[in-house]
């Protein structure tokens, strides 16, 4: 199916180009400092294979000079031997992904040539002003043999002129996938429509595809993901039970049940939830929609204020709203 066909999708269409990315370990790891047990990770890997998920993001390739390994679980760093302990040679259709943040990784030495790694896709996360460095990373990863994507973060804070210029720079790079990211859970479906059309139009002209990574501050992550898909976005991010920083993400089990491709099956994920996600919450992991995250979402603010508000057991929501408005 070509890009023109995909831009005319309806909610009932079966589009074989659509792919799903499970980001539970990476975005969900921000909830518990990546303290997942090996059993959790192995079971999630197997559940994703059974569910027909296309990519599984194992975590970050963070710098051990900047982040103390004693303070984080192993998926903050995604050492090759740790991934292989879970997947072996990954003799499955599922592709393995990691994320490399601009300025927070030692990518030249920590990301091996593809021939020496079980990783398939490296995702570069960048802010708009870091795009020149992001492109340097993209070209390094492509030369090493990887599939590469780029996530432009916090685009709800970026003016149209700068966003257009950044997208054009990326379109001329070797990147394979350009991600539309709603970092603060700010956008409504109507805004996602216009942004997705912009991203897909630029990607189509340069032979690339577009992904979406949505946050659930206004309980719109699933709706925004569906809308982006309708507009021709092909790689859809989600997490089990929506687990992710703050308000969390699009629910993987909801997305799989929505998609019309018969290869997707939500039951393995539901069984994984029964075994692992309920226990995680019982042990104190906290994520998901809450009023403080709604406030940061509607005011286009980083969720850190809401995260701290909840940690402090505050309930003076009106004061938080005023504090956020004063920051603006």
């Amino acid at each position: 199916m070509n890009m023109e066909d995909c831009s005319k999708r309806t909610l009932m269409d079966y589009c074989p180009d659509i792919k799903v990315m499970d980001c539970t370990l990476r975005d969900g790891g921000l909830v518990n400092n990546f303290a997942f047990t090996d059993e959790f990770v192995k079971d999630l890997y197997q559940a994703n294979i059974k569910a027909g998920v296309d990519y599984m993001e194992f975590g970050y390739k963070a710098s051990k000079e900047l982040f103390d390994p004693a303070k984080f679980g192993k998926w903050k760093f995604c050492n090759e031997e740790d991934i292989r302990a879970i997947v072996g040679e990954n003799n499955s259709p599922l592709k393995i992904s990691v994320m490399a943040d601009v300025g927070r990784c030692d990518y030249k030495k920590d990301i091996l040539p593809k021939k020496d790694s079980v990783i398939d896709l490296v995702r570069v996360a960048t802010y708009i002003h870091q795009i020149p460095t992001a492109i340097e990373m993209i070209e390094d990863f492509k030369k090493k043999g990887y599939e590469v994507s780029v996530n432009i973060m916090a685009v709800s804070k970026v003016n149209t002129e700068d966003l257009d210029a950044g997208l054009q720079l990326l379109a001329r790079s070797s990147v394979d996938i350009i991600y539309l990211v709603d970092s603060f859970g700010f956008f409504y479906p109507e805004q996602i429509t216009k942004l997705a059309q912009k991203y897909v139009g630029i990607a189509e002209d340069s032979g690339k595809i577009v992904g979406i990574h949505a946050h659930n501050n206004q309980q719109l992550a699933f709706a925004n993901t569906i809308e982006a898909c309708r507009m021709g976005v092909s790689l859809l991010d989600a997490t089990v039970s929506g687990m992710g920083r703050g308000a969390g993400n699009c629910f993987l089990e909801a997305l799989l049940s929505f998609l019309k491709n018969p290869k997707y099956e939500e039951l393995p994920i539901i069984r994984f939830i029964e075994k692992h996600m309920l226990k995680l919450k019982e042990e104190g992991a906290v994520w998901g929609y809450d009023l403080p995250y709604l406030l940061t979402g509607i005011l286009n603010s980083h969720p850190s204020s809401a995260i701290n508000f909840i940690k402090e057991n505050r309930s003076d929501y009106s004061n938080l709203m005023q504090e956020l408005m004063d920051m603006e």
Side-chain angles (χ1 to χ4, degrees):
M1 178 171 289
N2 61 37
M3 196 71 75
E4 183 179 358
D5 293 330
C6 290
S7 66
K8 298 176 182 177
R9 292 172 182 156
T10 73
L11 297 186
M12 289 303 296
D13 281 341
Y14 161 53
C15 293
D17 65 297
I18 292 172
K19 291 181 170 54
V20 173
M21 165 86 70
D22 168 40
C23 305
T24 307
L25 292 184
R26 202 271 310 163
D27 215 321
L30 297 171
V31 173
N32 65 350
N33 283 339
F34 305 89
F36 299 106
T37 65
D38 285 353
E39 181 188 25
F40 181 103
V41 179
K42 287 177 181 177
D43 286 354
L44 181 57
Y45 170 68
Q46 292 297 331
N48 277 323
I49 292 171
K50 293 175 183 175
V53 170
D54 302 280
Y55 293 86
M56 179 174 170
E57 188 174 43
F58 269 68
Y60 286 99
K61 274 286 190 181
S63 168
K64 292 175 185 174
E65 298 296 321
L66 297 176
F67 300 94
D68 183 355
K71 296 180 179 178
F72 297 93
K74 64 183 74 171
W75 308 113
K76 179 76 171 179
F77 308 98
C78 286
N79 295 328
E80 185 71 24
E81 59 270 25
D82 291 329
I83 300 176
R84 287 182 182 271
I86 302 296
V87 308
E89 292 297 319
N90 186 30
N91 296 314
S92 79
L94 179 69
K95 292 185 176 181
I96 305 301
S97 170
V98 295
M99 179 168 278
D101 278 358
V102 173
R104 296 181 178 181
C105 63
D106 301 318
Y107 66 92
K108 289 185 179 179
K109 70 179 179 68
D110 286 344
I111 296 183
L112 306 172
K114 173 67 186 89
K115 65 181 178 62
D116 301 321
S117 176
V118 75
I119 295 166
D120 300 288
L121 168 68
V122 180
R123 309 217 296 173
V124 177
T126 181
Y127 290 103
I128 193 75
H129 66 279
Q130 298 171 315
I131 282 181
T133 304
I135 291 173
E136 182 179 285
M137 293 171 65
I138 288 164
E139 301 305 332
D140 180 77
F141 300 148
K142 287 299 291 184
K143 287 176 183 175
K144 287 176 177 174
Y146 291 98
E147 186 179 1
V148 184
S149 70
V150 62
N151 290 26
I152 313 174
M153 298 181 290
V155 292
S156 56
K157 291 281 193 181
V158 178
N159 66 55
T160 300
E161 184 177 335
D162 287 348
L163 179 58
D164 289 347
L167 288 172
Q168 291 296 340
L169 284 171
L170 291 169
R172 294 194 292 270
S173 78
S174 299
V175 78
D176 301 292
I177 307 154
I178 302 173
Y179 261 88
L180 167 55
V181 184
D182 185 10
S183 298
F184 301 156
F186 171 73
F187 292 126
Y188 295 102
E190 293 87 349
Q191 294 165 299
I192 291 292
T193 300
K194 293 178 181 177
L195 281 166
Q197 288 171 334
K198 180 197 294 283
Y199 278 62
V200 170
I202 290 171
E204 180 182 16
D205 291 341
S206 54
K208 306 179 189 308
I209 66 170
V210 178
I212 182 166
H213 184 86
H215 281 262
N216 208 34
N217 297 65
Q218 301 189 74
Q219 301 197 88
L220 289 171
F222 182 42
N224 285 340
T225 299
I226 289 174
E227 181 60 15
C229 179
R230 192 173 72 87
M231 291 294 107
V233 172
S234 298
L235 188 48
L236 313 178
D237 282 14
T239 62
V240 177
S241 296
M243 186 182 186
R245 182 198 65 193
N249 304 94
C250 176
F251 282 61
L252 178 62
E253 56 271 27
L255 183 62
L256 294 177
S257 67
F258 162 77
L259 292 171
K260 302 305 179 283
N261 188 332
K263 80 169 187 168
Y264 294 126
E265 170 59 64
E266 67 270 19
L267 187 57
I269 302 301
I270 291 171
R271 286 177 174 151
F272 177 85
I273 292 168
E274 289 177 2
K275 181 176 180 181
H276 288 287
M277 303 307 286
L278 300 179
K279 182 181 177 184
L280 263 189
K281 289 202 168 187
E282 287 171 2
E283 292 171 348
V286 178
W287 73 89
Y289 171 82
D290 202 347
L291 182 54
Y293 297 127
L294 171 67
L295 297 179
T296 60
I298 62 178
L299 292 171
N300 198 15
S301 297
H302 193 283
S304 57
S305 299
I307 292 170
N308 292 332
F309 180 94
I310 291 171
K311 283 181 179 177
E312 293 166 5
N313 293 314
R314 290 174 58 185
S315 58
D316 53 327
Y317 303 120
S318 56
N319 285 337
L320 173 63
M321 187 169 189
Q322 189 60 52
E323 291 165 11
L324 293 169
M325 292 171 69
D326 289 345
M327 287 169 59
E328 290 297 308

